[in-house]
Amino acid sequence: MPKARSEFVCQNCGARYMRWQGQCRECGEWNSIIEVSVEKAPTPGRQAAARAMSGFAGAAGSGLKILSTVTAGRTARLPSGYREFDRVLGGGIVPGSVVLIGGNPGAGKSTLLLQTVCRLSLQVPVLYITGEESLEQVALRAQRLQLPADKVQIAAETSIENICALAAQVRPAVLVVDSIQVMHVDGIESAPGSVSQVRESAAALTQFAKRSGIAVFLVGHVTKDGALAGPKILEHCVDCSVFLTSSNDPRFRTLRCQKNRFGAVNEIGIFAMTDKGLREVSNPSAIFLNRQEITAPGSLAMVVWEGSRPLLVELQALVDASPYGNPRRLSVGTDQNRLAMLLSVMHRHAGLQLADQDVFINVVGGIKVEETAADVPLCLALLSSFREKAIDRHTIAFGEIGLTGEVRPVSSGQERIAEAFKQGFTRFIVPRDNAPRHLEPGMEVHPISRINELNALI
Ligand code: TYD
Ligand code: MG
């Protein structure tokens, strides 16, 4: 019998200490350190996971191999049934992967996963574990959303040992655990949701997923400042961590990847929350570009590249005489420092003097633009607001501006132009190197190579 020992663990970040103290040295949180007992033996959760796994082939360590001889046969991805979801995951669900879905209460995590497993159940066996809602509540929701639930296996369960045993029995391709914060591992004293419980539960499920080849989706809660609740180790041990957030418009939800071991992280998926559950939005430009019929000075549409697709967003600028000696520069949705740089470049190379003006920039729809392709539209919007001359509403612009006043090409210029043309834009202000060779009928292209050429276009 191993000797019982105790240690002190911060409930906020998981840091461990030999003795109690009032403040955690790692994360600075007060009163977050509690005493927990530790066992020397492997923890019970992992033991149970190991027991449940014994039925699966390849359960032991792999031994030495040459990387090129390792066959990656099992990694064929499983489409989730939602193109937006697949895109965020990097092209579908990878067998044996662990995906953590975070989001505020009411973001739609349970709805998204329920809809996904119901669609998946038409092709592969699935298992849905609900720890927060009762079976009746889940059934009611599935009925109301008219989901195909005939083949969905479901259990209300909060014990990791039982979940692993159920999964070993059902052998699903996809296992959903809603949520990791209510799960517990027997033999650990602390309450569900505490650092040690979440860590052990996640570790056991991860180990189970890797050995069994079952893809596991974990729902994770977020704290009030938007970080995932529980220990940081949760994000380390999962393969993908995605967040479901609501944009400024409460009808829409954005699925964004923060970590992905099997694909790019800059992809976003957009869903609309309707009375029939979450619906994919296949044409997101239409929602970010909800433009009025009347054109006002300082407003312009631009094409930004989000992950692997173009997105049309509206950019607004307001230039106004500053009443005090200290003019303000504020940008929402774009980089503040980039704005300061562009103002200097405009002054030096395009003769635009804004030293006594307040400057405000806003990207409509609450989207964050980090691309340098927003430079040219930003300068155009500034010019338009300063001169109080509206830009033709069929105009779209993109392009990067350098410190010497040159306009540089950006990646995927042709795709950006094609997308904007599809959305009804006909006048294009683009870097010379991005100008299309063949113009479609009705297209008007203004290729520019220096920033001062913008003056003539407003
Ligand atoms: P839910 O999936 O329960 O959120 P989470 O699991 O992330 O906490 O979603 C609940 C919210 O979604 C709730 O505020 C109402 C909304 N909703 C709809 O608008 N329509 C629907 O058909 C459903 C199922 C939910
Ligand atoms: Mg939920």
Side-chain angles (χ1 to χ4, degrees), residues 103-112 115 132-133 141 144-145 178 219 244 253 273-278:
N104 288 322
K109 305 178 291 293
S110 308
T111 310
L112 176 66
Q115 287 183 226
E132 295 187 348
E133 292 162 273
R141 182 183 303 184
R144 202 173 56 73
L145 303 183
D178 185 3
V219 172
L244 190 64
R253 302 285 193 278
M273 182 60 97
T274 66
D275 57 344
K276 289 271 176 291
L278 286 166

Side-chain angles (χ1 to χ4, degrees), residues 214-236:
I214 297 174
V216 177
F217 285 92
L218 304 176
V219 172
H221 293 174
V222 295
T223 59
K224 63 177 183 298
D225 36 288
L228 268 168
K232 205 70 191 150
I233 194 159
L234 188 56
E235 282 156 88
H236 284 298

Side-chain angles (χ1 to χ4, degrees), residues 139-326:
L140 206 66
R141 182 183 303 184
Q143 264 171 26
R144 202 173 56 73
L145 303 183
Q146 294 163 6
L147 297 171
D150 296 339
K151 294 189 183 139
V152 180
Q153 311 210 55
I154 179 167
E157 187 59 73
T158 55
S159 153
I160 293 292
E161 286 82 355
N162 295 350
I163 293 173
C164 289
L166 281 175
Q169 178 197 334
V170 172
R171 301 208 169 200
V174 174
L175 166 69
V176 170
V177 178
D178 185 3
S179 69
I180 190 74
Q181 269 87 7
V182 300
M183 295 299 150
H184 67 89
V185 170
D186 293 344
I188 293 185
E189 281 173 20
S190 49
S194 65
V195 166
S196 24
Q197 285 289 10
V198 172
R199 183 178 59 209
E200 284 306 317
S201 307
L205 286 172
T206 307
Q207 203 183 12
F208 182 71
K210 297 287 168 244
R211 299 275 175 89
S212 62
I214 297 174
V216 177
F217 285 92
L218 304 176
V219 172
H221 293 174
V222 295
T223 59
K224 63 177 183 298
D225 36 288
L228 268 168
K232 205 70 191 150
I233 194 159
L234 188 56
E235 282 156 88
H236 284 298
C237 76
V238 300
D239 296 308
C240 301
S241 158
V242 297
F243 276 84
L244 190 64
T245 49
S246 42
S247 54
N248 282 8
D249 189 333
R251 284 171 302 164
F252 297 106
R253 302 285 193 278
T254 316
L255 195 63
R256 194 177 277 278
C257 197
Q258 290 220 324
K259 163 184 176 180
N260 193 350
R261 289 188 179 145
F262 316 110
V265 288
N266 46 5
E267 294 286 358
I268 62 171
I270 295 169
F271 292 88
M273 182 60 97
T274 66
D275 57 344
K276 289 271 176 291
L278 286 166
R279 287 270 164 87
E280 291 180 283
V281 177
S282 48
N283 182 8
S285 294
I287 62 168
F288 290 111
L289 203 70
N290 195 1
R291 306 195 75 198
Q292 321 264 303
E293 288 298 307
I294 314 137
T295 45
S299 152
L300 178 68
M302 63 179 177
V303 203
V304 293
W305 203 254
E306 271 286 346
S308 60
R309 63 175 166 183
L311 192 64
L312 272 64
V313 290
E314 184 184 343
L315 183 74
Q316 294 181 333
L318 178 67
V319 178
D320 192 21
S322 175
Y324 314 108
N326 186 10

Side-chain angles (χ1 to χ4, degrees), residues 78-108:
L78 183 67
S80 68
Y82 289 94
R83 295 227 325 267
E84 297 289 304
F85 199 6
D86 285 346
R87 194 203 333 263
V88 173
L89 293 177
I93 303 167
V94 176
S97 67
V98 181
V99 180
L100 181 66
I101 303 211
N104 288 322

Side-chain angles (χ1 to χ4, degrees), residues 43-56 59 164 204 207-208 211:
T43 54
R46 295 184 206 198
Q47 280 175 345
R51 267 200 308 278
M53 278 177 313
S54 55
F56 291 93
C164 289
Q207 203 183 12
F208 182 71
R211 299 275 175 89

